[in-house]
Amino acid sequence: MRRIRYKEVRKVQPNYFEYTGIHNTDSVEMQLFVYDDLGYEEYKKVSLDRVRKEIEDPLQVEDVKWLNVHGLHDVKLIQDIGELLNIQNFIVGDILNVSRRTKMDELDDVLFFSIKSILQEEESSVVRVEQISFLLKDNLLVSFQEKKSDFFTHIRERIKTHSGIVRKKKSDYLLYLLLDAVMENFFITIESYENGIEALLIEAKNSYKSVFLENIEKERENLNFLKRSIIPLRDALFNLKTHQNDDGFDSIEKSNYAFFERLYQKSLELLEQIDYDLKSLDSASNVFFSSQSQRMNQIMKTLTIFSVIFMPLTFIVGVYGMNFENMPELKMENGYFVVLGVMFLTVLGMVYYFRKKHWF
């Protein structure tokens, strides 16, 4: 049974930069890709000075540059990146404050996008939540991750091997690929939940323990958490979609809006799937309560039949237990065996009648 572990976050004062996440141990590293249709260059553990040099190089103005930052606890470095791109301070604060909801903003010539990603730990039932932020400016895309992960490994391979159209497109298409990679993890997570939900539906017919309801509530809580993470993403993608005919919004090429429309449709599909799974959990609860009610009815019916059978026997015993002297049957030599026979025949007759009526 998977359980989402909620991160404890701290409140941050306005105009004060502080990383509010939990990944403070690993060193902050940056990776830079510079590519076009003809070739690419990859720089691992790159310095900010090197990044500045690549950005300001007049020979690489048209090249797409992807700077991926692993780790956010080096606040000074994040501030320096913000100054390099000339972005406003509150955007830097939103990058560092990972407790904020998913959002999308365009300010001047910079597009800011933050999204909640799902991290499944292979050797644990815990599902963690990580915030990934993106800054898109001209041909530069900067992605901020709280820690190292393999979300974008396949995208790096596509850049290296010139697979698909990624190297023929600009940085806005790269942003689409990164967002799509993050959203795919939602599908994987939901699929893993559905395996547990299917097991609960089977268990609902046979289980009568209260722990079953606890498991249902845990699954419902996890799905609702995913839903709360996806709804603002859907809203942000919808807002992005509405800028398609806005002449003042130039962060994304007109021809690439169709790709972001796909992401919007994926968000709707995710929400529909979650709603379906929530209804499945409701069905499991109903089946469980119906099974419990049926089981209780069976118990009550069994007890009632036994009670009805013993009622005439109790009456007979009560009659011959009154100890009056003038009771002819008390003087009979075989009276005891006769009464036992009558009682036995009474039981057989009642059992036959109940079976004939299909009461059991």
Side-chain angles (χ1 to χ4, degrees):
M1 182 65 61
R2 280 181 168 80
R3 186 76 172 90
I4 289 179
R5 179 178 296 172
Y6 295 90
K7 297 183 296 184
E8 297 182 0
V9 296
R10 301 182 299 275
K11 295 182 179 180
V12 179
Q13 299 299 325
N15 299 322
Y16 178 74
F17 300 117
E18 181 184 4
Y19 170 57
T20 60
I22 60 176
H23 305 289
N24 298 304
T25 57
D26 297 336
S27 60
V28 178
E29 295 181 2
M30 296 191 297
Q31 180 186 35
L32 178 65
F33 271 92
V34 181
Y35 64 88
D36 60 9
D37 192 21
L38 300 178
Y40 83 96
E41 293 178 311
E42 179 183 3
Y43 304 93
K44 297 182 179 179
K45 297 183 179 180
V46 66
S47 65
L48 189 59
D49 291 334
R50 179 69 185 191
V51 173
R52 182 181 289 105
K53 180 180 178 181
E54 293 294 328
I55 294 176
E56 296 175 352
D57 188 349
L59 299 178
Q60 296 181 337
V61 173
E62 298 299 325
D63 294 345
V64 176
K65 305 168 187 67
W66 173 25
L67 176 63
N68 190 33
V69 181
H70 292 118
L72 299 179
H73 54 276
D74 189 344
V75 177
K76 181 63 169 57
L77 176 61
I78 305 302
Q79 286 182 272
D80 291 340
I81 295 176
E83 293 178 1
L84 176 63
L85 300 181
N86 194 25
I87 63 173
Q88 298 189 25
N89 288 336
F90 76 89
I91 296 295
V92 177
D94 287 342
I95 295 173
L96 294 171
N97 188 357
V98 298
S99 62
R100 297 291 178 87
R101 73 197 301 265
T102 296
K103 63 180 298 187
M104 186 273 296
D105 286 315
E106 193 204 27
L107 302 171
D108 299 327
D109 57 347
V110 176
L111 176 66
F112 171 69
F113 213 117
S114 69
I115 183 175
K116 301 298 182 184
S117 64
I118 301 299
L119 300 175
Q120 298 187 60
E121 299 182 357
E122 297 181 356
E123 299 180 356
S124 174
S125 61
V126 175
V127 175
R128 295 186 182 271
V129 179
E130 175 189 354
Q131 176 172 292
I132 300 180
S133 301
F134 302 96
L135 286 174
L136 178 64
K137 182 176 181 179
D138 299 327
N139 286 329
L140 173 65
L141 176 64
V142 185
S143 55
F144 299 90
Q145 298 179 250
E146 293 188 63
K147 68 173 187 176
K148 286 187 177 181
S149 59
D150 56 355
F151 285 146
F152 309 137
T153 301
H154 65 288
I155 299 177
R156 297 188 186 96
E157 291 300 320
R158 290 176 64 177
I159 294 175
K160 295 177 181 179
T161 59
H162 205 331
S163 300
I165 61 175
V166 59
R167 281 178 36 187
K168 298 179 181 180
K169 291 285 189 177
K170 296 299 183 180
S171 55
D172 54 348
Y173 181 77
L174 178 61
L175 174 61
Y176 154 73
L177 291 179
L178 300 182
L179 291 174
D180 184 65
V182 174
M183 292 184 67
E184 282 299 320
N185 284 277
F186 281 95
F187 283 101
I188 296 173
T189 303
I190 292 175
E191 183 179 356
S192 66
Y193 284 154
E194 289 177 343
N195 294 333
I197 292 173
E198 183 178 355
L200 287 175
L201 286 171
I202 297 175
E203 185 182 357
K205 301 177 182 179
N206 304 314
S207 177
Y208 57 90
K209 298 180 180 180
S210 60
V211 69
F212 175 80
L213 291 178
E214 296 178 5
N215 293 335
I216 286 183
E217 288 305 314
K218 289 179 181 179
E219 291 289 351
R220 183 180 286 113
E221 182 181 351
N222 291 343
L223 288 174
N224 282 325
F225 183 87
L226 291 179
K227 188 175 183 178
R228 291 197 303 269
S229 300
I230 296 172
I231 287 178
L233 173 60
R234 177 204 61 187
D235 297 339
L237 291 171
F238 178 79
N239 292 334
L240 184 62
K241 185 169 66 74
T242 58
H243 287 293
Q244 182 171 357
N245 298 321
D246 188 355
D247 295 334
F249 191 90
D250 56 0
S251 296
I252 298 176
E253 295 182 359
K254 299 294 184 181
S255 60
N256 288 335
Y257 272 101
F259 298 110
F260 291 93
E261 172 69 22
R262 295 179 186 177
L263 295 181
Y264 176 69
Q265 294 300 326
K266 277 191 173 183
S267 67
L268 296 180
E269 183 180 347
L270 285 170
L271 290 174
E272 290 175 356
Q273 191 62 42
I274 290 176
D275 288 337
Y276 175 80
D277 292 336
L278 288 173
K279 291 180 180 178
S280 297
L281 289 177
D282 291 337
S283 298
S285 298
N286 294 334
V287 170
F288 173 77
F289 285 118
S290 297
S291 178
Q292 288 290 83
S293 178
Q294 179 67 19
R295 183 171 177 271
M296 183 61 66
N297 289 337
Q298 284 295 124
I299 294 174
M300 294 303 299
K301 183 171 69 174
T302 301
L303 294 177
T304 301
I305 290 175
F306 274 99
S307 299
V308 172
I309 290 176
F310 276 93
M311 283 178 61
L313 305 184
T314 304
F315 172 76
I316 294 174
V317 172
V319 169
Y320 288 102
M322 291 186 293
N323 295 324
F324 287 113
E325 292 185 2
N326 192 20
M327 292 184 67
E329 294 84 357
L330 296 179
K331 305 297 183 181
M332 294 177 57
E333 181 179 357
N334 298 318
Y336 172 72
F337 301 102
V338 172
V339 172
L340 286 181
V342 172
M343 296 171 66
F344 179 73
L345 292 176
T346 301
V347 171
L348 290 180
M350 296 185 70
V351 170
Y352 172 77
Y353 180 79
F354 292 157
R355 291 298 300 270
K356 186 177 181 180
K357 292 293 184 178
H358 301 287
W359 288 355
F360 70 91

